[in-house]
Structure formats: structure tokens, C-alpha cells
Amino acid sequence: MRYEYTVETEDLAKYYYMGRYVVKALDGVNIRIRRGEYVSIMGPSGSGKTTLFNMIGGLDRPTRGRVYIDEVDISKLDAYELAWLRNRKIGYVFQTFNLIPVLTALENVMLPMIFAGVPREERIKRATELLQRVGLGDRLYHKPTELSGGQQQRVAIARALANDPAIVLADEPTGNLDLHTGLEIINLMRTLNKEKGVTIVTATHDLKMIDVSDRIVYLRDGKVQRIETRAEVSAEYEE
Amino acid sequence: MSVGEWEIGSIELPFSEAFRITLENIRKRFVRAAITTASIILGIAFMVSILMMSQVQQSATGVVEGIRAYQYWLLFISLLVSGVGITNSMLIAVAERYKEIGTMKCLGALDRHILTFFLMESSIIGGIGGILGYIIGLIAAIIYGAMQFSMEAVGKALLSVGLLGFNIPAVISLLLASVILAILLSIVASLYPAYYAAKLNPADALRYEI
Ligand SMILES: Nc1ncnc2c1ncn2[C@@H]1O[C@H](COP(=O)(O)OP(=O)(O)OP(=O)(O)O)[C@@H](O)[C@H]1O
Ligand SMILES: [Mg+2]
């Protein structure tokens, strides 16, 4: 079954109640992300990017509105089904890499496959291939502390792809990397997006992301300010 | 099970994998594990030495005095203190791993898998603490007995049967009692921290910066 939209949000809102104050981290967000798209979410600090990712990624419940992943309304899922969604449908990449520190690169990539019940032989084979694909074929048995930031992020990307997800959510994946390494990571994600057809959504304040994105969603104070396609952005640059 | 077009498959964590990851956790976070273990060792060593010393006294004097009420009371308090120490140490272990717990949940872990990781860890630590506590407590009792009475009385006491109602030599019944009690104590004391970890909302857990 192929779905036209990997992600759809409908009047999505998340409010945090802090005593008498209400923080409207998201306030009526409507976006649709097509299968295979590479979308960047841009916005200043506090604009709601991480909150949006938490809602799309099934990590937190919205105050109002709906999220559809592959046309399924995820508010209808119970705890078990949500775990399954996170395991099979979504891959996560974080600013701080978040590898499991006691496990090797290979074991980190295999972990989602363990939860998915993939047999050991196949786990090793697939995880090795993924690590080779991201350029770490010679670092399989290294622990996270024995890897550079850029290498750790490559492991995280391989891990995000472990169960062939519909979508990879990357929250400021280059935030802790230097310019050059950040560019490498961005290009790697773009290549994998093209190669595997996996939908990628990244949050960023990084202007380097613009070049590789199909569309850019500008977020401000929890609302979508505007959405631009790459053609439009390039045109702006030429002016 | 299916939702919309999805066939919801199973989410698993085989015992062997959980065990392997737990051992790595203990190895890599040795200092934290050692602090928790120390708590157990103290409680168990105290218990073993009290029980053994009264046994030595018995075989030396021939008077069946048993264990006095205040000693039971001391024993109870020492195990309680030991339990509180474990709970405290495990709560810190959970706080140290907030981000890891959040990440595990992103990768598909169920609440009960997080619970399994922490309880497995505390059982292993409990078992190790029980054995070490037993050894230390026994050595203390042997030294005490040899100085106060004689090596002969100590030897007789070690092999005497009937301690704690087991029909086996005291050296063995004490070991069994130590290990079983230490594991139970460790698990009970870790229930709250483990449950707390398992129930963490992944978004909150990931937000947490150490
Ligand atoms: N758990 C929470 N409790 C209270 N307020 C929160 C919570 N999480 C987020 N917020 C608030 O919601 C708003 C959006 O936060 P969010 O983390 O989504 O921003 P962001 O765009 O990811 O920012 P950054 O670029 O700094 O990561 C902020 O004002 C933040 O203070
Ligand atoms: Mg953020």
C-alpha cells in the first residue's frame, strides 16, 4: 500500500500550562508532507519545532487536533501500538546523537531490530550494511565515546533507518557539529532520502538545509508562518 | 491486530538480549553499581554475622540461647536502611539515564521493557551483594568466634544444622538465605525507581539535559 501523504496534521495544538500562564507551543498547525519529501522546519528558538516533532513522532499527546502518519490517526493508538509506530514507522535523529553509551555502533543499530523481532543473523547483516552505507564499515565495534560527533550522528542515522521507516524525524541534526561535518550529514540524509525514498523532516535554524530541502516550513510562535518550495527560495536568493 | 492499513506486529525483548545489555550497563557504570552493592553488602553482612555469632556461642557453651528480640530489631533496621540506600541509589541511576530511557522508547521499547532493564539490574546487583555480604559477615563471625571461644566451636557452628529451620549445614543455609534475601530486598527497593522510569513520558525524558 502506498500512501500519498506520510504526515498530515490537522489543527494541531499543544499548550503547556504553567500555573496561570499558558504556553502555546503549537497553535493550529496544518501541514501535509508527501511520501519521499525532504522538508525542513525552520524557526527561531522556542517556535515549537521540537514540540511539533514530539507530536508527529508519537512521543507526546497534542492538546488539540490530529496527526496522521500514513493516513492513520495516531491519537487512536494505544501504548503498544504507539511503541510499534515508533519502532517501525519512524526513525529519530537528535541534536545530541543519543546513542546508547554502553553499546557498540553495531549494537546501537541492531537495537530497533531486536524490538522488531528480527532474527540475529539478519540483524547483524542489515546493521552492518547500514553502517557501511553511512561510511562507518570500519567502526562497527566502537562505542559512542570512541567516535567523533559526526560519526556518532552517522550511527544515529543508520539506527533511524534500521526498520525501514516511513519517515525520519531529525531535530537539529547538525546543531552540535561544525560547519563541514554538518554539511556532510545533511548531504548524507539527502542522498538516503533519494536512494530509499524515505520521507525526511528536519528541524533546523541552519540555512545550509535550504539547498537540499524540497520545501521549507517556517514556524513562528507555534504557527506556520509560510511554506516555500525550493524553487521559490532559490528565486529569492537570485534577486 | 491491525489499525487502518497497518498490521501491528509484535514488540519483543528476548531475555538474553536484556541480560546482555544489563551486564554491559553494570560493567560500564561500575561506580554506581558498586554504591548500590555496598548498601546490600552492609545489610547482609550484619545479618550473617549476628546469626553466625549466636550459633558459635551456642556450640561453645551448649546453651541454646537463640537470638534475642533486640537483635531481630537491629537486623530489621539494618535491612531497612540497606533498602532505603538501594532505592536512593537506583533513583539516581534513573535520573542519570533519563535521555537513554527516552531514546529506548523512541526505538520501540515498551514500558515493561524499561521495567525489565532496571529490575534485572537490581537482581544481579542484589545477588552479587548477597554473596559478598555473606562472605564478609561470615569472616567477621569466624574471627569473633575464634577469639571469644575456639576454632573448634566455630567449626562446629559452621556445620551445625537447623539454622533458620533448614536441615543443612549453617554455612550453606546462610549463603542461600543471604542471596535470596538480598535479591528480594534489591528488587523491592527498586520497584519504585523502575516503575517511575518505565512510566516516563518520552518527550519529557528526552528534554532532560544533564
Ligand atoms: N515540557 C514543557 N513545559 C513547558 N513549556 C514547554 C515544554 N516544552 C516546550 N515548552 C515551551 O514551548 C515552546 C516551544 O518549545 P520547543 O522546544 O518546541 O521549541 P524549539 O522550536 O524546538 O526551540 P529550539 O530551537 O530552542 O530547540 C517554548 O516556549 C518552550 O518553552
Ligand atoms: Mg528544539
Side-chain angles (χ1 to χ4, degrees), chain B residues 176-195:
Chain B
L176 291 179
S178 299
V179 172
I180 293 170
L181 188 71
I183 292 176
L184 282 180
L185 181 71
S186 189
I187 288 179
V188 170
S190 304
L191 278 179
Y192 172 71
Y195 182 78

PDB file of all heavy atoms in Angstrom, chain B residues 176-195:
ATOM      1  N   LEU B 176      22.391 -19.403  51.167  1.00  0.00           N
ATOM      2  CA  LEU B 176      21.106 -19.363  50.455  1.00  0.00           C
ATOM      3  C   LEU B 176      20.254 -18.200  50.945  1.00  0.00           C
ATOM      4  O   LEU B 176      19.724 -17.416  50.163  1.00  0.00           O
ATOM      5  CB  LEU B 176      20.345 -20.685  50.653  1.00  0.00           C
ATOM      6  CG  LEU B 176      20.959 -21.901  49.962  1.00  0.00           C
ATOM      7  CD1 LEU B 176      20.123 -23.145  50.253  1.00  0.00           C
ATOM      8  CD2 LEU B 176      21.045 -21.656  48.459  1.00  0.00           C
ATOM      9  N   ALA B 177      20.161 -18.100  52.291  1.00  0.00           N
ATOM     10  CA  ALA B 177      19.337 -17.039  52.864  1.00  0.00           C
ATOM     11  C   ALA B 177      19.849 -15.664  52.438  1.00  0.00           C
ATOM     12  O   ALA B 177      19.070 -14.781  52.078  1.00  0.00           O
ATOM     13  CB  ALA B 177      19.329 -17.152  54.387  1.00  0.00           C
ATOM     14  N   SER B 178      21.173 -15.494  52.451  1.00  0.00           N
ATOM     15  CA  SER B 178      21.759 -14.197  52.090  1.00  0.00           C
ATOM     16  C   SER B 178      21.407 -13.821  50.656  1.00  0.00           C
ATOM     17  O   SER B 178      20.960 -12.702  50.384  1.00  0.00           O
ATOM     18  CB  SER B 178      23.286 -14.243  52.205  1.00  0.00           C
ATOM     19  OG  SER B 178      23.665 -14.526  53.516  1.00  0.00           O
ATOM     20  N   VAL B 179      21.624 -14.763  49.746  1.00  0.00           N
ATOM     21  CA  VAL B 179      21.427 -14.444  48.332  1.00  0.00           C
ATOM     22  C   VAL B 179      19.943 -14.180  48.037  1.00  0.00           C
ATOM     23  O   VAL B 179      19.587 -13.194  47.394  1.00  0.00           O
ATOM     24  CB  VAL B 179      21.975 -15.577  47.433  1.00  0.00           C
ATOM     25  CG1 VAL B 179      21.597 -15.334  45.986  1.00  0.00           C
ATOM     26  CG2 VAL B 179      23.484 -15.666  47.571  1.00  0.00           C
ATOM     27  N   ILE B 180      19.089 -15.055  48.556  1.00  0.00           N
ATOM     28  CA  ILE B 180      17.658 -14.879  48.283  1.00  0.00           C
ATOM     29  C   ILE B 180      17.145 -13.571  48.889  1.00  0.00           C
ATOM     30  O   ILE B 180      16.480 -12.774  48.209  1.00  0.00           O
ATOM     31  CB  ILE B 180      16.851 -16.079  48.829  1.00  0.00           C
ATOM     32  CG1 ILE B 180      17.215 -17.332  48.022  1.00  0.00           C
ATOM     33  CG2 ILE B 180      15.350 -15.812  48.754  1.00  0.00           C
ATOM     34  CD1 ILE B 180      16.679 -18.625  48.598  1.00  0.00           C
ATOM     35  N   LEU B 181      17.512 -13.335  50.126  1.00  0.00           N
ATOM     36  CA  LEU B 181      17.049 -12.115  50.783  1.00  0.00           C
ATOM     37  C   LEU B 181      17.592 -10.868  50.078  1.00  0.00           C
ATOM     38  O   LEU B 181      16.872  -9.884  49.857  1.00  0.00           O
ATOM     39  CB  LEU B 181      17.480 -12.124  52.247  1.00  0.00           C
ATOM     40  CG  LEU B 181      16.876 -10.994  53.076  1.00  0.00           C
ATOM     41  CD1 LEU B 181      15.389 -11.248  53.279  1.00  0.00           C
ATOM     42  CD2 LEU B 181      17.578 -10.856  54.428  1.00  0.00           C
ATOM     43  N   ALA B 182      18.872 -10.914  49.684  1.00  0.00           N
ATOM     44  CA  ALA B 182      19.483  -9.749  49.032  1.00  0.00           C
ATOM     45  C   ALA B 182      18.785  -9.449  47.709  1.00  0.00           C
ATOM     46  O   ALA B 182      18.512  -8.289  47.382  1.00  0.00           O
ATOM     47  CB  ALA B 182      20.970 -10.000  48.802  1.00  0.00           C
ATOM     48  N   ILE B 183      18.478 -10.497  46.943  1.00  0.00           N
ATOM     49  CA  ILE B 183      17.814 -10.284  45.657  1.00  0.00           C
ATOM     50  C   ILE B 183      16.408  -9.714  45.884  1.00  0.00           C
ATOM     51  O   ILE B 183      16.011  -8.732  45.244  1.00  0.00           O
ATOM     52  CB  ILE B 183      17.759 -11.591  44.835  1.00  0.00           C
ATOM     53  CG1 ILE B 183      19.178 -11.987  44.387  1.00  0.00           C
ATOM     54  CG2 ILE B 183      16.860 -11.423  43.617  1.00  0.00           C
ATOM     55  CD1 ILE B 183      19.253 -13.303  43.649  1.00  0.00           C
ATOM     56  N   LEU B 184      15.681 -10.304  46.830  1.00  0.00           N
ATOM     57  CA  LEU B 184      14.332  -9.809  47.123  1.00  0.00           C
ATOM     58  C   LEU B 184      14.370  -8.359  47.589  1.00  0.00           C
ATOM     59  O   LEU B 184      13.625  -7.506  47.096  1.00  0.00           O
ATOM     60  CB  LEU B 184      13.673 -10.676  48.206  1.00  0.00           C
ATOM     61  CG  LEU B 184      13.118 -12.016  47.733  1.00  0.00           C
ATOM     62  CD1 LEU B 184      12.494 -12.770  48.894  1.00  0.00           C
ATOM     63  CD2 LEU B 184      12.076 -11.779  46.630  1.00  0.00           C
ATOM     64  N   LEU B 185      15.272  -8.095  48.516  1.00  0.00           N
ATOM     65  CA  LEU B 185      15.401  -6.742  49.060  1.00  0.00           C
ATOM     66  C   LEU B 185      15.705  -5.748  47.937  1.00  0.00           C
ATOM     67  O   LEU B 185      15.097  -4.681  47.828  1.00  0.00           O
ATOM     68  CB  LEU B 185      16.524  -6.733  50.104  1.00  0.00           C
ATOM     69  CG  LEU B 185      16.793  -5.400  50.802  1.00  0.00           C
ATOM     70  CD1 LEU B 185      15.643  -5.075  51.741  1.00  0.00           C
ATOM     71  CD2 LEU B 185      18.097  -5.462  51.592  1.00  0.00           C
ATOM     72  N   SER B 186      16.634  -6.130  47.081  1.00  0.00           N
ATOM     73  CA  SER B 186      17.056  -5.248  46.000  1.00  0.00           C
ATOM     74  C   SER B 186      15.909  -4.989  45.020  1.00  0.00           C
ATOM     75  O   SER B 186      15.704  -3.864  44.569  1.00  0.00           O
ATOM     76  CB  SER B 186      18.251  -5.887  45.294  1.00  0.00           C
ATOM     77  OG  SER B 186      18.823  -4.999  44.396  1.00  0.00           O
ATOM     78  N   ILE B 187      15.153  -6.041  44.722  1.00  0.00           N
ATOM     79  CA  ILE B 187      14.036  -5.873  43.796  1.00  0.00           C
ATOM     80  C   ILE B 187      12.956  -4.988  44.415  1.00  0.00           C
ATOM     81  O   ILE B 187      12.476  -4.038  43.787  1.00  0.00           O
ATOM     82  CB  ILE B 187      13.445  -7.245  43.400  1.00  0.00           C
ATOM     83  CG1 ILE B 187      14.421  -7.975  42.463  1.00  0.00           C
ATOM     84  CG2 ILE B 187      12.095  -7.067  42.696  1.00  0.00           C
ATOM     85  CD1 ILE B 187      13.951  -9.342  42.026  1.00  0.00           C
ATOM     86  N   VAL B 188      12.602  -5.284  45.653  1.00  0.00           N
ATOM     87  CA  VAL B 188      11.547  -4.486  46.308  1.00  0.00           C
ATOM     88  C   VAL B 188      11.967  -3.016  46.386  1.00  0.00           C
ATOM     89  O   VAL B 188      11.195  -2.112  46.084  1.00  0.00           O
ATOM     90  CB  VAL B 188      11.236  -5.048  47.717  1.00  0.00           C
ATOM     91  CG1 VAL B 188      10.343  -4.095  48.489  1.00  0.00           C
ATOM     92  CG2 VAL B 188      10.568  -6.407  47.586  1.00  0.00           C
ATOM     93  N   ALA B 189      13.241  -2.794  46.766  1.00  0.00           N
ATOM     94  CA  ALA B 189      13.716  -1.420  46.910  1.00  0.00           C
ATOM     95  C   ALA B 189      13.795  -0.705  45.563  1.00  0.00           C
ATOM     96  O   ALA B 189      13.778   0.518  45.496  1.00  0.00           O
ATOM     97  CB  ALA B 189      15.084  -1.408  47.590  1.00  0.00           C
ATOM     98  N   SER B 190      13.873  -1.451  44.461  1.00  0.00           N
ATOM     99  CA  SER B 190      13.996  -0.843  43.134  1.00  0.00           C
ATOM    100  C   SER B 190      12.657  -0.719  42.416  1.00  0.00           C
ATOM    101  O   SER B 190      12.603  -0.153  41.318  1.00  0.00           O
ATOM    102  CB  SER B 190      14.937  -1.671  42.256  1.00  0.00           C
ATOM    103  OG  SER B 190      16.179  -1.814  42.882  1.00  0.00           O
ATOM    104  N   LEU B 191      11.611  -1.261  43.018  1.00  0.00           N
ATOM    105  CA  LEU B 191      10.310  -1.234  42.326  1.00  0.00           C
ATOM    106  C   LEU B 191       9.889   0.185  41.976  1.00  0.00           C
ATOM    107  O   LEU B 191       9.534   0.468  40.831  1.00  0.00           O
ATOM    108  CB  LEU B 191       9.226  -1.888  43.202  1.00  0.00           C
ATOM    109  CG  LEU B 191       9.156  -3.405  43.154  1.00  0.00           C
ATOM    110  CD1 LEU B 191       8.057  -3.912  44.077  1.00  0.00           C
ATOM    111  CD2 LEU B 191       8.893  -3.895  41.723  1.00  0.00           C
ATOM    112  N   TYR B 192       9.946   1.074  42.959  1.00  0.00           N
ATOM    113  CA  TYR B 192       9.503   2.430  42.693  1.00  0.00           C
ATOM    114  C   TYR B 192      10.369   3.126  41.628  1.00  0.00           C
ATOM    115  O   TYR B 192       9.840   3.643  40.647  1.00  0.00           O
ATOM    116  CB  TYR B 192       9.406   3.254  43.986  1.00  0.00           C
ATOM    117  CG  TYR B 192       9.136   4.697  43.695  1.00  0.00           C
ATOM    118  CD1 TYR B 192       7.885   5.096  43.218  1.00  0.00           C
ATOM    119  CD2 TYR B 192      10.127   5.666  43.816  1.00  0.00           C
ATOM    120  CE1 TYR B 192       7.631   6.415  42.895  1.00  0.00           C
ATOM    121  CE2 TYR B 192       9.886   6.981  43.502  1.00  0.00           C
ATOM    122  CZ  TYR B 192       8.634   7.364  43.041  1.00  0.00           C
ATOM    123  OH  TYR B 192       8.409   8.665  42.702  1.00  0.00           O
ATOM    124  N   PRO B 193      11.716   3.128  41.778  1.00  0.00           N
ATOM    125  CA  PRO B 193      12.538   3.755  40.739  1.00  0.00           C
ATOM    126  C   PRO B 193      12.291   3.153  39.343  1.00  0.00           C
ATOM    127  O   PRO B 193      12.202   3.882  38.360  1.00  0.00           O
ATOM    128  CB  PRO B 193      13.972   3.478  41.191  1.00  0.00           C
ATOM    129  CG  PRO B 193      13.884   3.284  42.654  1.00  0.00           C
ATOM    130  CD  PRO B 193      12.543   2.670  42.910  1.00  0.00           C
ATOM    131  N   ALA B 194      12.165   1.832  39.284  1.00  0.00           N
ATOM    132  CA  ALA B 194      11.986   1.174  37.982  1.00  0.00           C
ATOM    133  C   ALA B 194      10.639   1.540  37.375  1.00  0.00           C
ATOM    134  O   ALA B 194      10.523   1.806  36.174  1.00  0.00           O
ATOM    135  CB  ALA B 194      12.102  -0.342  38.138  1.00  0.00           C
ATOM    136  N   TYR B 195       9.616   1.589  38.208  1.00  0.00           N
ATOM    137  CA  TYR B 195       8.279   1.929  37.743  1.00  0.00           C
ATOM    138  C   TYR B 195       8.261   3.375  37.258  1.00  0.00           C
ATOM    139  O   TYR B 195       7.708   3.693  36.205  1.00  0.00           O
ATOM    140  CB  TYR B 195       7.271   1.728  38.879  1.00  0.00           C
ATOM    141  CG  TYR B 195       5.854   2.011  38.481  1.00  0.00           C
ATOM    142  CD1 TYR B 195       5.118   1.079  37.744  1.00  0.00           C
ATOM    143  CD2 TYR B 195       5.254   3.215  38.822  1.00  0.00           C
ATOM    144  CE1 TYR B 195       3.825   1.355  37.363  1.00  0.00           C
ATOM    145  CE2 TYR B 195       3.952   3.495  38.442  1.00  0.00           C
ATOM    146  CZ  TYR B 195       3.238   2.564  37.708  1.00  0.00           C
ATOM    147  OH  TYR B 195       1.959   2.843  37.322  1.00  0.00           O
TER     148      TYR B 195
END
